[in-house]
């Protein structure tokens, strides 16, 4: 049930995690049945990049 009054709560961390999971799913499906390497996973998850927020 939606809150009365149009109040929406946004969890930016949860939204970012959902986006990254989606990107992993896309990368895994594009891998043509092969496992993603740790380097590929790090690249998809942008490990080591600075956060530009």
């Amino acid at each position: 049930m939606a809150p009365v009054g149009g109040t929406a709560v946004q969890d930016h961390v949860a939204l970012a995690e959902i986006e990254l999971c989606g990107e992993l799913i896309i990368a895994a499906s594009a891998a043509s049945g092969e496992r993603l390497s740790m380097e590929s996973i790090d690249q998809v998850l942008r490990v080591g990049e600075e956060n530009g927020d």
Side-chain angles (χ1 to χ4, degrees):
M1 183 170 180
V4 177
T7 303
V9 176
Q10 290 189 8
D11 185 340
H12 297 286
V13 173
L15 292 174
E17 289 177 357
I18 292 167
E19 180 180 343
L20 290 173
C21 287
E23 291 177 17
L24 274 176
I25 291 168
I26 291 167
S29 65
S32 301
E34 296 184 22
R35 294 182 70 167
L36 292 175
S37 67
M38 293 302 292
E39 292 80 18
S40 295
I41 293 170
D42 287 348
Q43 186 176 25
V44 170
L45 296 178
R46 298 184 291 262
V47 173
E49 291 183 14
E50 290 192 30
N51 191 354
D53 289 296

